[in-house]
Amino acid sequence: QSTWGRSHPYPYIMFRLVNAAKPYSKRLFFATCSGAVIAGAWMSTKPVQLQDDKPTNLYQLVLTLHDRLKRIEDQLQVETYSAHHVLDKIFKAKANNPHNLGAKHFCLDYYDTLSPAQKKAFLNLFKFGFGADENGVGVFACHSSDYDTFTHFFRQVVGEFNNVTSFRPFSKDLLAVGSIDVKQLDSDSSITVSVARNFADVPFGNALNIRERKNIESLVAAAVTRLISDPEFGGAFYSLTPGASHPPPSAAIRELVEGHVGSTSLVDLSAPGFRADYPEGRGCYISQDGSVVIAVGGAEHIQITCSVPGGSASQLANKLKSATSVLESTIGTFAFNDTFGFLTTSPTKLGRTLNAKVKISKPLLQRYGQNTDEISIALKREGLAVERADGDGVVVTDASGKMFQQESDELASLLIRTRDLVRDSGK
């Protein structure tokens, strides 16, 4: 008590006085204290007239202090502790990590031209990028509007990453490739195309809350009922969300759905925000023959994968058009920017939202070798890269190395190289 009393003299004196008092005095003291507490609680419920003429009580007034102070800080353009913390990390990355293009192109002069709300949104790009420098820039967009608001910043980052000095307008049209059929491909060959999309007026996958995630999944599930009722597509929607209205998938289907949801990742899903709330808001539509898959809940809102046997690019384009039209007409337009094309969470994936592959059966490749290694070396000279062996064939992609290009140009390049390859084979 003596140690405590020296450090707390006034409570200690009160304690000694109460302890030495007679019993009735103690009861009077505690009754007085209890009355004070009750009176204080009663007073806190009494209305208090504020300057904005909104009646409240003292308890509610305390609860609003944070928001009121925040508005004052915004008006005075005072940087919060959180902002200073992010800025400190940015400058450390600028000094220690030359490969972090976001930090490299961060400029205080540009930052100071932004409004308080824009500053917060701008720093959020870096907050989601911390710990994910492997994406090459150390920033992730949180909303499609970020690319409009911070165009100056993104042009610098995207330009250096892709070695682009001038930007030509992007086009949404992918159907121009329909005239590039690869008729020489046999029925054991196939063309597969995946496109990643985000909806325009919704936060990107890293910034969604659980309600928004589940809402996107519900909207997609409702939209694809039009495909399910079409005999050309059929199939079903499978949800990983616990308690969803859709029948739970079997173990085999669940593994397939999880694989498709994981394959939507244009970026590392371990980066901040991407695996939040998993498996809530994750699901997948699979057509009856498995040729059309729409996965929900990866790094981007959705990823549409279409495949056709043989080399009918026109059939592929029509399937892709049907799937995208159903989603856009039912849910809303996809996020698109004339400068950057279809918008993605990671700036490094702009201009590369399409992933095209062709499976070529081995009989069509006999002249290039008998095993996958020999075929890989030969096809590399033709501008094609062998991704993997697949049963009786090999899966190839375009190895031209071009980045930041129109989706139609990327697919057309692969189709033309494949067509020339199999035509020269004499088949």
Side-chain angles (χ1 to χ4, degrees):
Q1 288 182 348
S2 59
T3 303
W4 183 84
R6 285 193 296 270
S7 58
H8 303 82
Y10 295 111
Y12 179 68
I13 293 171
M14 181 63 69
F15 169 78
R16 292 298 300 271
L17 289 174
V18 172
N19 194 45
K22 295 181 178 180
Y24 73 87
S25 299
K26 291 182 181 179
R27 288 195 293 271
L28 178 62
F29 173 78
F30 288 119
T32 303
C33 291
S34 300
V37 170
I38 293 171
W42 179 77
M43 285 297 295
S44 68
T45 63
K46 298 294 289 182
V48 176
Q49 198 69 19
L50 303 178
Q51 290 183 349
D52 56 5
D53 293 328
K54 294 181 180 179
T56 183
N57 57 53
L58 292 177
Y59 176 70
Q60 293 171 338
L61 178 60
V62 171
L63 292 181
T64 64
L65 285 179
H66 177 270
D67 292 336
R68 293 173 177 275
L69 289 173
K70 183 67 174 60
R71 288 200 295 268
I72 295 172
E73 288 178 340
D74 289 343
Q75 290 294 323
L76 297 177
Q77 298 190 17
V78 175
E79 299 291 355
T80 64
Y81 170 77
S82 176
H84 285 298
H85 182 64
V86 176
L87 289 170
D88 184 56
K89 281 194 169 186
I90 292 172
F91 285 111
K92 285 182 179 178
K94 183 187 282 283
N96 301 323
N97 187 356
H99 301 294
N100 187 322
L101 299 182
K104 176 181 178 180
H105 290 287
F106 177 86
C107 175
L108 270 179
D109 290 338
Y110 171 71
Y111 178 74
D112 287 339
T113 65
L114 304 176
S115 69
Q118 289 174 335
K119 286 180 178 179
K120 181 178 180 180
F122 188 57
L123 292 183
N124 275 340
L125 308 181
F126 294 87
K127 288 173 68 175
F128 281 100
F130 291 144
D133 289 342
E134 66 273 7
N135 80 331
V137 293
V139 292
F140 285 118
C142 302
H143 198 286
S144 60
S145 60
D146 290 341
Y147 287 106
D148 296 320
T149 306
F150 310 116
T151 300
H152 172 75
F153 170 76
F154 279 115
R155 284 176 70 98
Q156 291 179 307
V157 171
V158 174
E160 181 169 350
F161 183 84
N162 293 293
N163 195 25
V164 173
T165 55
S166 60
F167 294 82
R168 64 190 180 100
F170 271 80
S171 169
K172 294 183 179 181
D173 187 19
L174 184 59
L175 301 182
V177 301
S179 60
I180 314 176
D181 286 343
V182 188
K183 298 178 180 179
Q184 296 85 350
L185 289 178
D186 56 25
S187 59
D188 292 326
S189 304
S190 62
I191 306 173
T192 301
V193 168
S194 295
V195 292
R197 296 288 186 263
N198 288 295
F199 294 107
D201 298 323
V202 186
F204 286 163
N206 57 337
L208 290 171
N209 59 43
I210 189 170
R211 179 185 58 79
E212 292 166 332
R213 291 185 193 281
K214 295 171 72 172
N215 186 50
I216 291 175
E217 185 197 12
S218 297
L219 290 173
V220 173
V224 298
T225 56
R226 290 170 53 184
L227 295 178
I228 295 172
S229 62
D230 186 337
E232 185 180 347
F233 293 90
F237 185 87
Y238 303 95
S239 176
L240 298 183
T241 300
S245 58
H246 309 280
S250 64
I253 292 293
R254 184 180 182 87
E255 183 178 352
L256 183 63
V257 172
E258 287 176 338
H260 279 295
V261 171
S263 71
T264 64
S265 311
L266 290 182
V267 297
D268 180 7
L269 283 183
S270 65
F274 291 115
R275 288 197 65 84
D277 310 315
Y278 190 88
E280 302 277 359
R282 273 73 172 190
C284 192
Y285 162 75
I286 304 176
S287 65
Q288 187 67 37
D289 61 1
S291 64
V292 178
V293 175
I294 303 174
V296 186
E300 318 305 331
H301 292 155
I302 60 171
Q303 181 157 306
I304 307 170
T305 302
C306 296
S307 61
V308 294
S312 178
S314 56
Q315 183 184 358
L316 179 77
N318 288 333
K319 280 194 172 186
L320 193 59
K321 179 182 178 182
S322 297
T324 55
S325 296
V326 162
L327 293 171
E328 284 202 281
S329 62
T330 308
I331 301 175
T333 57
F334 296 131
F336 182 85
N337 181 290
D338 290 338
T339 302
F340 303 118
F342 287 103
L343 301 178
T344 59
T345 311
S346 174
T348 64
K349 305 305 175 183
L350 295 172
R352 277 178 284 177
T353 50
L354 179 143
N355 182 15
K357 303 174 183 178
V358 176
K359 178 186 175 182
I360 308 175
S361 64
K362 284 187 177 177
L364 296 176
L365 300 170
Q366 287 180 353
R367 63 172 292 194
Y368 296 102
Q370 298 302 313
N371 58 59
T372 304
D373 290 338
E374 291 176 348
I375 293 173
S376 296
I377 294 172
L379 264 57
K380 188 174 182 179
R381 293 194 293 267
E382 305 295 329
L384 294 170
V386 174
E387 184 179 87
R388 69 181 189 279
D390 186 359
D392 59 348
V394 294
V395 177
V396 301
T397 60
D398 186 6
S400 63
K402 292 182 179 179
M403 299 187 293
F404 201 67
Q405 59 180 329
Q406 305 273 6
E407 288 184 338
S408 56
D409 291 346
E410 184 175 349
L411 180 54
S413 175
L414 174 62
L415 295 176
I416 291 172
R417 289 174 189 275
T418 303
R419 184 177 63 185
D420 292 345
L421 178 79
V422 295
R423 183 171 56 197
D424 292 344
S425 71
K427 297 289 182 180

